[in-house]
């Protein structure tokens, strides 16, 4: 006869079978049966007690983003369940697998207006790809198994609501999970006819570029090979930063508000876009509207979703790029390609000119220069939402061996600290940095207590500029309104950290920041470095005045003066130089022979006389 086991332990055994070794959450009375099971199985699955269920759900989402494996979190009945919602929406919008276990009051107390009892399942209908309430203790392991399968298959959130008494109930310990039956899907091969069409369009283009997203994360080498053979500069989505090393010459960064100038200008100047594994919602605003588009995606619903296609290729990114590479002839560098390379050099040189600035409050460039030098090749970054996204996107010289995450399309503030907990849990031997603005840090800074509790050596950098900087810039530049509700009280975050048991530093200069980073190496405690940061907004590429060919000189002068951008040149200038360098000089004209005076012959003279 099969031995018996509690419903909650049977559930945890299934979760463990899928390779999960930790779970985030905050206990409540309705979850006592599963807390008991977690205690019994503490040698095989670790419970991480966060200070707020939102942080647990965000950490679970970060688990999936960093590792590709499902993240797991839980909340107790009622308020604990509702608190999960923000983190679950992050997973939904960024399409990563997360399992949320939601506690419910005992089944006999459901639907009778009991304490903390509510109809929880409808709450999660929108956020979840799969949402079920367990109906019997015996079905609990099967429901959890199916939930995990659905989360992986549909790249989203699976929610399982578990009545408390089902977790205590004894059931047969004979369930076999489906974890070992999962087969990695075969890569979809591209249609050769579509590949030939794409190759012809690229060959005819004067300014082709590659625009790739996270769908190309396994195609780093193929991106480089196609770029080099066909002389196509590359621009990525923000979230695809890190697929290529930042210092690769033909990689121009991303495009859009947070992007560096070279990527923004290239996107508007290109006449053809090879669009690879990208689902950016701002696409209609970021590119030359007249550019032709070749789109590669593994999901047919993505083809043409963000931009009209001239050629749509349903295929795995790596396979499609291999096919394009094989079918193409090598091209010489075009003026567009050369200009984009020179434009990036100009931008990088301009940024680097501020690395040792002694301006106070300190600029971002000196701080990120220290991070670039001190972060290892295996570093993991947890990047919060706001101006920190802009500075990270432009100033961190990412390597493909490093990892980073943020809240992408959902863009929820408060991401950084919980995501850093995830990173250090997944990669205990790697250096981990949480990068947060003071507004975002304030939202979930209580999770420093979680870092302290579990002895997670994380370097939390808080950029304190006393404003919601990204929103301030939108109010000032986009809607041209009086600043409203964006100011933040000055706070001593180092003291706050020390009160929680972490190590705190307050810094105002590059040297002080470098000293704090060095001191962080001598402690096993979590570290919070409060950087008293410039109040100036980052260089805005969304409203950029730098090209006298079509912009008013007065606007250019004001913009250049504001951002100290005297050495920056528009892409148009580099394009003109590249065209001039490749245009053959006209062949010298043949010397004109001097015409001799006309002299009639004797026969001509005789004929003339006879005519008379």
């Amino acid at each position: 006869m099969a031995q018996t086991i509690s419903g909650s332990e049977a559930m945890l055994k299934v979760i463990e079978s899928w390779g999960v070794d930790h779970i985030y959450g905050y206990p409540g009375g309705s979850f006592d049966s599963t807390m008991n099971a977690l205690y019994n199985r503490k040698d095989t699955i670790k419970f991480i007690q966060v200070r707020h269920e939102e942080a647990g759900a965000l950490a679970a989402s970060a688990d999936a983003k960093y590792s590709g494996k499902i993240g797991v979190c839980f909340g107790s009945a009622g308020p604990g369940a509702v608190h999960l919602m923000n983190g679950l929406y992050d997973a939904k919008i960024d399409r990563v697998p997360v399992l949320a276990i939601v506690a419910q009051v005992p089944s006999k107390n459901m639907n009778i207006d009991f304490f903390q009892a509510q109809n929880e399942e409808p709450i999660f209908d929108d956020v979840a790809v799969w949402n079920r309430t367990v109906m019997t203790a015996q079905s609990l392991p099967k429901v959890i198994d199916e939930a995990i399968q659905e989360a992986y298959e549909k790249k989203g959130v699976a929610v399982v609501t578990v009545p408390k008494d089902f977790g205590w109930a004894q059931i047969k310990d004979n369930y076999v999970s489906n974890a070992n039956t999962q087969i990695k899907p075969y890569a979809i091969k591209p249609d050769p006819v579509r590949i030939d069409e794409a190759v012809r369009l690229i060959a005819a283009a004067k300014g082709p570029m590659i625009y790739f997203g996270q769908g190309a994360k396994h195609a780093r080498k193929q991106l480089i090979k196609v770029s080099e053979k066909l002389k196509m500069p590359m621009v990525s989505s923000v979230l695809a930063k890190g697929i290529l090393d930042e210092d690769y010459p033909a990689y121009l960064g991303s495009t859009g508000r947070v992007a560096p100038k070279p990527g923004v200008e290239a996107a508007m100047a290109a006449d053809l876009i090879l669009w690879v594994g990208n689902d950016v919602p701002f696409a209609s605003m970021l590119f030359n509207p007249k550019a032709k588009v070749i789109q590669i995606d593994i999901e047919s619903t993505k083809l043409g979703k963000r931009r009209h296609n001239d050629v749509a290729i349903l295929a795995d990114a790596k396979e499609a790029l291999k096919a394009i590479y094989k079918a193409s002839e090598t091209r010489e560098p075009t003026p567009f390609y050369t200009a984009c390379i020179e434009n990036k050099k100009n931008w990088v040189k301009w940024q680097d000119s501020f690395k040792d600035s002694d301006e106070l409050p300190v600029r971002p460039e000196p701080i990120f220069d220290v991070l670039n030098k001190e972060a290892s090749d295996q570093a993991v970054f947890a990047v919060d939402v706001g101006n920190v996204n802009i500075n990270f996107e432009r100033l961190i010289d990412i390597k493909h061996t490093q990892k980073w995450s943020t809240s992408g399309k959902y863009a929820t503030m408060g991401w950084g600290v919980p995501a850093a907990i995830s990173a250090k849990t997944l990669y205990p031997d790697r250096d981990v940095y949480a990068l947060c603005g003071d507004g975002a840090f304030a939202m979930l800074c209580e999770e420093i207590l979680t870092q302290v509790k579990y002895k997670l050596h994380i370097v939390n950098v808080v950029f304190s500029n006393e404003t919601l900087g990204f929103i301030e810039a939108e109010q000032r530049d986009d809607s041209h309104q009086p600043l409203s509700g964006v100011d933040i009280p000055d706070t001593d975050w180092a003291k706050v950290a020390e009160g929680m048991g972490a190590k705190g530093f307050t810094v105002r200069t590059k040297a002080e920041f470098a000293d704090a980073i060095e001191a962080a190496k001598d402690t096993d405690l979590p570290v919070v470095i409060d950087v008293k940061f410039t109040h100036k907004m980052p260089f805005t590429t969304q409203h950029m005045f730098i090209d006298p060919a079509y912009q008013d000189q007065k606007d250019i002068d004001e913009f250049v003066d504001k951002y100290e951008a005297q050495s920056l040149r528009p892409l148009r200038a580099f394009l003109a130089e590249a065209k001039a360098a490749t245009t053959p000089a006209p062949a010298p004209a043949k010397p004109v022979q001097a015409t001799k005076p006309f002299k009639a012959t004797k026969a001509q003279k005789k004929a003339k006389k006879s005519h008379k």
Side-chain angles (χ1 to χ4, degrees):
M1 291 180 63
Q3 293 183 330
T4 61
I5 190 173
S6 75
S8 285
E9 284 201 55
M11 172 178 71
L12 293 179
K13 284 183 68 175
V14 171
I15 292 171
E16 291 168 20
S17 74
W18 285 89
V20 176
D21 62 6
H22 62 277
I23 180 172
Y24 305 97
Y26 198 81
S30 54
F31 207 71
D32 283 347
S33 52
T34 303
M35 292 308 304
N36 186 71
L38 283 167
Y39 178 83
N40 292 339
R41 302 195 64 80
K42 58 182 177 293
D43 292 335
T44 52
I45 189 165
K46 181 180 182 180
F47 162 57
I48 299 176
Q49 182 204 64
V50 291
R51 308 317 304 163
H52 193 291
E53 291 91 346
E54 177 186 358
L58 288 171
S61 181
D63 275 4
K65 291 180 184 182
Y66 284 127
S67 71
K69 296 180 180 180
I70 195 165
V72 184
C73 59
F74 70 81
S76 58
V82 174
H83 281 170
L84 292 171
M85 198 64 76
N86 200 47
L88 298 186
Y89 265 103
D90 177 81
K92 168 192 167 77
I93 301 301
D94 279 354
R95 301 192 69 210
V96 293
V98 165
L99 170 65
I101 303 168
V102 176
Q104 180 59 283
V105 299
S107 57
K108 66 180 181 181
N109 295 327
M110 291 172 62
N111 304 321
I112 58 170
D113 196 24
F114 193 70
F115 175 71
Q116 287 192 330
Q118 62 187 61
N119 189 6
E120 291 172 334
E121 193 173 307
I123 299 172
F124 297 97
D125 274 345
D126 181 65
V127 77
V129 296
W130 197 85
N131 180 24
R132 299 288 189 275
T133 298
V134 177
M135 302 305 291
T136 67
Q138 288 75 18
S139 67
L140 181 49
K142 171 60 177 173
V143 172
I144 288 290
D145 203 22
E146 188 170 340
I148 295 172
Q149 287 179 292
E150 292 283 340
Y152 273 124
E153 176 70 20
K154 297 175 181 174
K155 300 177 183 176
V157 177
V159 177
V160 178
T161 301
V162 182
K164 179 180 178 178
D165 53 324
F166 294 169
W168 286 118
Q170 292 293 305
I171 63 174
K172 290 181 180 180
D173 185 15
N174 60 0
Y175 184 77
V176 179
S177 93
N178 288 309
N180 294 328
T181 67
Q182 300 308 295
I183 300 172
K184 187 177 180 180
Y186 292 103
I188 300 175
K189 303 281 187 179
D191 179 350
V193 174
R194 299 294 179 95
I195 293 296
D196 288 343
E197 291 174 0
V199 167
R200 285 195 293 272
L201 278 184
I202 294 171
K206 294 181 179 179
M209 61 169 276
I210 299 172
Y211 179 52
F212 65 91
Q214 287 184 297
K217 63 185 176 182
H218 300 303
R220 181 176 66 87
K221 292 180 181 179
Q222 287 71 32
L223 286 170
I224 292 172
K225 290 179 73 171
V226 170
S227 171
E228 291 181 349
K229 185 175 185 179
L230 302 182
K231 302 303 182 289
M232 299 172 74
M234 291 182 282
V235 173
S236 75
S237 68
V238 171
L239 298 181
K241 178 183 173 75
I243 292 177
L244 300 178
D245 289 352
E246 198 72 30
D247 61 2
Y248 183 72
Y251 175 54
L252 309 181
S254 62
T255 186
R257 186 184 186 113
V258 306
K261 170 180 169 288
V264 172
E265 290 180 304
M268 292 306 298
D271 64 358
L272 180 138
I273 305 162
L274 179 57
W275 189 299
V276 187
N278 211 326
D279 187 32
V280 173
F282 302 106
S284 61
M285 298 176 278
L286 301 180
F287 298 93
N288 176 5
K290 296 180 180 179
K292 294 184 180 299
V293 175
I294 302 163
Q295 187 178 359
I296 299 167
D297 208 287
I298 202 167
E299 295 182 47
S300 60
T301 55
K302 295 292 194 310
L303 297 171
K305 178 181 176 182
R306 304 297 186 185
R307 178 74 180 253
H308 170 74
N309 289 326
D310 294 275
V311 178
I313 301 173
L314 180 66
D316 173 76
K318 182 185 288 189
E319 295 298 326
L321 289 169
K322 282 181 180 178
I324 289 172
Y325 178 84
K326 186 176 180 180
S328 300
E329 298 292 333
T330 301
R331 290 183 58 163
E332 293 298 316
T334 63
F336 175 75
Y337 179 81
T338 302
C340 285
I341 301 297
E342 293 303 313
N343 195 26
K344 178 179 178 178
K345 290 179 183 177
N346 178 239
W347 171 259
V348 171
K349 184 177 180 180
W350 175 76
Q351 285 191 145
D352 287 351
S353 70
F354 300 106
K355 280 183 177 180
D356 294 313
S357 169
D358 56 5
E359 180 181 320
L360 294 176
V362 67
R363 293 178 60 104
E365 294 89 352
I367 301 301
F368 280 84
D369 185 43
V370 174
L371 286 172
N372 281 325
K373 290 174 180 175
E374 294 296 329
S376 77
D377 289 350
Q378 297 295 312
V380 187
F381 299 97
V383 185
D384 220 303
V385 171
N387 278 351
V388 67
N389 287 130
I390 300 177
N391 290 325
F392 181 85
E393 179 68 20
R394 298 176 185 178
L395 297 173
I396 280 288
D397 296 332
I398 200 79
K399 301 175 179 66
H400 74 274
T401 54
Q402 297 172 328
K403 290 179 177 288
W404 77 281
S405 75
T406 192
S407 180
K409 280 198 286 184
Y410 191 53
T412 181
M413 293 172 66
W415 168 266
V417 177
I421 292 170
S422 160
K424 198 64 178 178
T425 301
L426 290 168
Y427 311 108
D429 297 326
R430 299 175 77 159
D431 48 327
V432 174
Y433 302 86
L435 307 180
C436 313
D438 46 356
F441 185 75
M443 287 188 169
L444 288 172
C445 64
E446 73 275 6
E447 297 305 325
I448 296 298
L449 289 168
T450 306
Q451 296 182 11
V452 171
K453 178 180 175 71
Y454 296 102
K455 299 179 173 60
L456 302 176
H457 178 56
I458 295 166
V459 177
N460 303 270
V461 182
V462 185
F463 299 95
S464 296
N465 63 352
E466 302 171 42
T467 184
L468 300 176
F470 202 93
I471 308 304
E472 177 184 324
E474 286 183 328
Q475 290 184 1
R476 195 189 304 275
D477 298 335
D478 296 352
S479 52
H480 308 288
Q481 67 187 77
L483 296 183
S484 177
V486 296
D487 56 309
I488 298 174
D490 185 21
T491 305
D492 191 336
W493 293 113
K495 283 188 177 180
V496 171
E498 288 172 352
M500 293 184 184
K503 188 74 175 174
F505 299 91
T506 300
V507 305
R508 292 178 170 80
T509 66
K510 179 179 183 179
E512 289 177 353
F513 182 71
D515 289 344
I517 291 289
E518 191 64 30
K521 300 174 184 177
D522 297 329
T523 180
D524 293 330
L525 296 171
V527 173
V528 174
I529 304 176
D530 183 4
V531 181
K532 298 307 181 184
F533 203 55
T534 180
H535 295 189
K536 294 180 180 178
M537 295 297 108
F539 183 101
T540 173
T541 52
Q542 193 172 25
H543 305 285
M544 183 166 52
F545 296 91
I546 203 165
D547 191 345
Y550 72 98
Q551 292 175 324
D552 184 77
Q553 190 62 47
K554 181 176 180 294
D555 292 334
I556 293 173
D557 292 342
E558 290 177 358
F559 184 88
V560 167
D561 183 64
K562 178 179 179 180
Y563 293 106
E564 301 176 60
Q566 288 80 5
S567 63
L568 282 181
R569 303 174 64 202
L571 174 62
R572 190 187 305 271
F574 294 108
L575 192 57
E577 291 173 359
K579 287 180 177 178
T582 56
T583 302
K590 293 182 179 180
V592 178
Q593 296 289 332
T595 303
K596 294 181 180 179
F598 176 77
K599 189 174 182 179
T601 62
K602 290 182 179 179
Q604 288 172 329
K605 290 178 180 178
K606 186 175 180 181
K608 187 177 181 180
K609 286 181 180 179
S610 61
H611 179 71
K612 287 180 179 179

Short mmCIF file of all heavy atoms in Angstrom, two decimals, residues 457 503 505 515-525 527:
data_model
loop_
_atom_site.label_atom_id
_atom_site.label_comp_id
_atom_site.label_asym_id
_atom_site.label_seq_id
_atom_site.Cartn_x
_atom_site.Cartn_y
_atom_site.Cartn_z
N HIS A 457 24.85 39.10 0.58
CA HIS A 457 25.79 40.21 0.36
C HIS A 457 25.48 40.85 -0.99
O HIS A 457 25.96 40.43 -2.05
CB HIS A 457 27.22 39.71 0.39
CG HIS A 457 28.23 40.80 0.12
ND1 HIS A 457 28.29 41.95 0.85
CD2 HIS A 457 29.21 40.89 -0.83
CE1 HIS A 457 29.26 42.72 0.38
NE2 HIS A 457 29.82 42.10 -0.64
N LYS A 503 25.06 47.45 6.14
CA LYS A 503 26.16 48.42 6.18
C LYS A 503 25.78 49.59 5.28
O LYS A 503 25.37 49.38 4.12
CB LYS A 503 27.44 47.76 5.68
CG LYS A 503 28.69 48.59 5.84
CD LYS A 503 29.14 48.66 7.28
CE LYS A 503 30.48 49.40 7.40
NZ LYS A 503 30.85 49.60 8.81
N PHE A 505 26.59 53.57 3.58
CA PHE A 505 27.56 54.60 3.21
C PHE A 505 26.81 55.75 2.52
O PHE A 505 25.91 55.51 1.72
CB PHE A 505 28.61 54.07 2.22
CG PHE A 505 29.43 52.93 2.75
CD1 PHE A 505 29.02 51.61 2.55
CD2 PHE A 505 30.62 53.15 3.43
CE1 PHE A 505 29.76 50.55 3.02
CE2 PHE A 505 31.37 52.09 3.90
CZ PHE A 505 30.95 50.79 3.70
N ASP A 515 35.57 54.33 -2.78
CA ASP A 515 35.95 53.85 -1.44
C ASP A 515 34.84 52.98 -0.84
O ASP A 515 35.12 51.96 -0.20
CB ASP A 515 36.22 55.04 -0.51
CG ASP A 515 37.52 55.78 -0.86
OD1 ASP A 515 38.34 55.21 -1.60
OD2 ASP A 515 37.67 56.93 -0.40
N ALA A 516 33.58 53.36 -1.06
CA ALA A 516 32.47 52.58 -0.52
C ALA A 516 32.38 51.21 -1.20
O ALA A 516 32.13 50.19 -0.54
CB ALA A 516 31.16 53.35 -0.70
N ILE A 517 32.59 51.18 -2.51
CA ILE A 517 32.58 49.90 -3.22
C ILE A 517 33.71 49.01 -2.72
O ILE A 517 33.53 47.79 -2.54
CB ILE A 517 32.71 50.13 -4.74
CG1 ILE A 517 31.44 50.77 -5.31
CG2 ILE A 517 33.03 48.84 -5.47
CD1 ILE A 517 30.23 49.85 -5.36
N GLU A 518 34.85 49.59 -2.45
CA GLU A 518 35.98 48.83 -1.93
C GLU A 518 35.68 48.31 -0.53
O GLU A 518 35.96 47.14 -0.20
CB GLU A 518 37.25 49.70 -1.91
CG GLU A 518 38.54 48.94 -1.64
CD GLU A 518 38.88 47.92 -2.72
OE1 GLU A 518 38.50 48.15 -3.88
OE2 GLU A 518 39.50 46.90 -2.38
N ALA A 519 35.09 49.16 0.31
CA ALA A 519 34.74 48.75 1.67
C ALA A 519 33.68 47.66 1.66
O ALA A 519 33.65 46.81 2.57
CB ALA A 519 34.24 49.96 2.47
N ALA A 520 32.81 47.66 0.65
CA ALA A 520 31.77 46.63 0.55
C ALA A 520 32.36 45.24 0.40
O ALA A 520 31.72 44.24 0.76
CB ALA A 520 30.84 46.95 -0.61
N LYS A 521 33.59 45.16 -0.11
CA LYS A 521 34.24 43.86 -0.28
C LYS A 521 34.69 43.26 1.05
O LYS A 521 34.96 42.06 1.12
CB LYS A 521 35.44 44.00 -1.22
CG LYS A 521 35.10 44.49 -2.62
CD LYS A 521 36.36 44.74 -3.44
CE LYS A 521 36.03 45.32 -4.80
NZ LYS A 521 37.26 45.64 -5.59
N ASP A 522 34.76 44.09 2.08
CA ASP A 522 35.28 43.64 3.38
C ASP A 522 34.18 43.27 4.36
O ASP A 522 34.44 43.10 5.55
CB ASP A 522 36.17 44.73 3.99
CG ASP A 522 37.40 45.01 3.15
OD1 ASP A 522 37.89 44.06 2.49
OD2 ASP A 522 37.86 46.17 3.12
N THR A 523 32.94 43.17 3.90
CA THR A 523 31.84 42.79 4.77
C THR A 523 30.98 41.74 4.09
O THR A 523 30.87 41.71 2.86
CB THR A 523 30.98 44.00 5.16
OG1 THR A 523 29.91 43.57 6.01
CG2 THR A 523 30.39 44.68 3.93
N ASP A 524 30.38 40.87 4.89
CA ASP A 524 29.43 39.89 4.36
C ASP A 524 28.00 40.40 4.43
O ASP A 524 27.07 39.73 3.97
CB ASP A 524 29.53 38.58 5.15
CG ASP A 524 30.87 37.88 4.93
OD1 ASP A 524 31.43 38.04 3.84
OD2 ASP A 524 31.34 37.19 5.85
N LEU A 525 27.82 41.58 5.02
CA LEU A 525 26.49 42.16 5.18
C LEU A 525 25.99 42.75 3.86
O LEU A 525 26.80 43.10 2.99
CB LEU A 525 26.51 43.26 6.24
CG LEU A 525 26.85 42.85 7.67
CD1 LEU A 525 27.03 44.11 8.53
CD2 LEU A 525 25.75 41.97 8.24
N VAL A 527 24.89 45.84 1.69
CA VAL A 527 25.44 47.19 1.70
C VAL A 527 24.47 48.12 0.98
O VAL A 527 23.94 47.77 -0.08
CB VAL A 527 26.82 47.23 1.02
CG1 VAL A 527 27.32 48.66 0.87
CG2 VAL A 527 27.83 46.39 1.80
#
